[in-house]
Amino acid sequence: LRLNGAVAATSAADQGTGNFGTYPLYIGARNNSSLWFNGHLHSLIVVGSAVSAGNISATEQWVAQRTGIVIP
């Protein structure tokens, strides 16, 4: 997890392996339930491969410039 341009938390838990399949991607709700997200989603970027720390930082800066967010 990243917050304001910095790592906020990490997890050593298994993130899964193999193919995930062609299942619906729910953004803002958990499996089409009534538990809807209540907040602001300033940007969502989905990448289908591993990303370097430099690419993450550059992407965060790009989003920040377009949304007016200040990254310390």
Side-chain angles (χ1 to χ4, degrees):
L1 296 174
R2 295 180 62 85
L3 178 64
N4 294 331
V7 175
T10 60
S11 174
D14 183 6
Q15 302 299 306
T17 60
N19 296 324
F20 289 100
T22 55
Y23 301 106
L25 173 63
Y26 296 101
I27 300 171
R30 184 177 7 184
N31 194 16
N32 203 22
S33 72
S34 62
L35 302 173
W36 295 98
F37 173 71
N38 183 14
H40 298 278
L41 181 63
H42 293 284
S43 180
L44 174 68
I45 298 173
V46 179
V47 180
S49 63
V51 181
S52 71
N55 280 345
I56 292 171
S57 180
T59 302
E60 289 174 338
Q61 291 295 325
W62 180 85
V63 170
Q65 289 173 353
R66 283 148 184 83
T67 59
I69 296 171
V70 177
I71 296 179

